[in-house]
Amino acid sequence: MATWSAPGKVFLFGEHAVVYGKPGIAMAIKPRVFVTVRKTRHPTRAKSPYIDNCFEMTGVTGSVYINSQLPSSSGLGSSAAVTVATLSAINDEFALNRTREDIANMAFEIEKKVQKGRASPTDTTVSAFGGIVLITGTSRRRLPPQNMHLVIGDSLVSHSTTKMVEQVADLRRQQPKIVDPILDAIEGVSLTAIHHLSNPKELGCYMDMNHALLEALGVGHPQLSRLVLAARSAGAFGAKITGAGGGGCMVALCAKPIRHRVARAIEACEARAIVTGIDTEGVRKERNA
Ligand code: PMV
């Protein structure tokens, strides 16, 4: 039996713009998904196309047990974390000798297949390696890890990443003269933010700017605006939508002493708050029996 866990992720900067080859900055965060794989003659497993594909790709069969601390379908990368942890547990249980890089690549192939081509390597890279990753087109570069105090607000409003990506594409087709400069401005924010990752006060201002630009792209939602404003009023350095928008989550950057105050302010808006920080490890082995 092998148990592995993998972290979730948030986009700090550049979501949507990354779809157009602009830089994006994503960070692995603490809530994890735990996956146990066991060699058995009569496999039982959770029904999930991600897990089915992990077994199909590796050509083995076994039982799987999943324990997730990450809310699913909220843009926190839970499908990538499940896929990365499952592939790693299979790799261990069946001694397949795949590297972490192999696992990240295989997980990306599975996300692409299940999501019908609409996946970026962001989630699988961040979940496999941890830390902060800069994504530009197909290139991925790890940035120096920073100890940030984050509060995620899950609006509990369901959304579809595919739909939001299509909505931005439609707007861009209709209004290229407006949308292209917004995407360029997001790029400017991300490229500037890279140099201030260790300065939360400054970084918070860039998060606020990125949020305004995401709203200009039409991916805001009244409940997300409410959470962002509540977090800022409670003293966060900055707050923004994280991920596809239209629902899902926002993220606030705080000083350590006020993170619980920010979380309470978010929860007072009928949302779920997660107080978290960077995960620098990526996928890891939990125990073997
Ligand atoms: O829904 P999430 O958190 O996986 O974020 C989607 C981010 C987009 O830039 C909108 C799409 C993408 O594939 O990068």
Side-chain angles (χ1 to χ4, degrees):
M1 187 167 87
T3 301
W4 285 67
S5 72
K9 72 102 202 357
V10 283
F11 259 100
L12 292 176
F13 295 96
E15 52 273 87
H16 285 290
V18 286
V19 175
Y20 301 93
K22 310 284 188 195
I25 304 173
M27 187 173 102
I29 49 161
K30 290 248 158 57
R32 283 184 165 254
V33 172
F34 295 79
V35 178
T36 300
V37 169
R38 185 204 287 263
K39 252 187 225 173
T40 42
R41 280 211 204 101
H42 307 289
T44 52
R45 62 170 105 118
K47 281 223 170 309
S48 151
Y50 295 97
I51 292 172
D52 292 347
N53 274 284
C54 290
F55 281 96
E56 207 172 284
M57 192 177 264
T58 48
V60 297
T61 53
S63 291
V64 181
Y65 175 75
I66 298 173
N67 178 8
S68 178
Q69 302 169 343
L70 269 175
S72 60
S73 312
S74 55
L76 298 180
S78 72
S79 65
V82 165
T83 310
V84 166
T86 304
L87 285 170
S88 302
I90 291 174
N91 185 44
D92 187 8
E93 178 74 348
F94 295 89
L96 303 180
N97 290 322
R98 301 299 181 106
T99 63
R100 199 184 277 245
E101 187 75 43
D102 294 338
I103 300 284
N105 291 335
M106 289 161 76
F108 176 46
E109 289 309 313
I110 291 172
E111 287 239 302
K112 263 200 301 202
K113 189 173 164 199
V114 176
Q115 297 167 17
K116 304 196 174 16
R118 288 180 186 278
S120 80
T122 310
D123 292 19
T124 42
T125 304
V126 170
S127 193
F129 293 96
I132 306 178
V133 177
L134 171 70
I135 307 106
T136 316
T138 51
S139 99
R140 289 161 270 170
R141 181 156 70 86
R142 295 185 74 196
L143 297 173
Q146 305 293 336
N147 188 19
M148 294 179 200
H149 301 288
L150 299 178
V151 182
I152 292 164
D154 183 350
S155 69
L156 307 175
V157 174
S158 70
H159 71 156
S160 147
T161 297
T162 308
K163 215 182 96 197
M164 299 317 292
V165 169
E166 270 167 15
Q167 192 180 303
V168 172
D170 284 346
L171 187 67
R172 185 167 176 252
R173 267 192 296 274
Q174 287 157 22
Q175 305 286 358
K177 288 215 165 89
I178 299 172
V179 172
D180 284 341
I182 296 173
L183 296 172
D184 290 342
I186 293 177
E187 174 177 37
V189 171
S190 302
L191 292 177
T192 308
I194 291 174
H195 303 290
H196 300 277
L197 291 174
S198 60
N199 180 345
K201 219 168 164 186
E202 191 128 346
L203 207 62
C205 296
Y206 300 128
M207 287 171 75
D208 289 349
M209 284 184 203
N210 197 157
H211 178 75
L213 293 164
L214 285 167
E215 291 209 313
L217 280 183
V219 300
H221 184 279
Q223 182 63 351
L224 287 171
S225 306
R226 205 174 149 209
L227 302 183
V228 163
L229 296 176
R232 290 181 194 156
S233 303
F237 290 126
K240 65 182 273 294
I241 291 166
T242 183
C249 293
M250 49 72 70
V251 61
L253 178 66
C254 312
K256 192 175 179 190
I258 64 137
R259 65 209 154 122
H260 294 290
R261 196 205 306 165
V262 170
R264 280 194 300 275
I266 288 171
E267 295 212 317
C269 303
E270 296 101 46
R272 190 189 305 142
I274 303 172
V275 176
T276 186
I278 189 166
D279 172 282
T280 51
E281 272 185 286
V283 69
R284 71 168 181 232
K285 185 175 173 130
E286 292 294 330
R287 68 187 146 82
N288 241 359

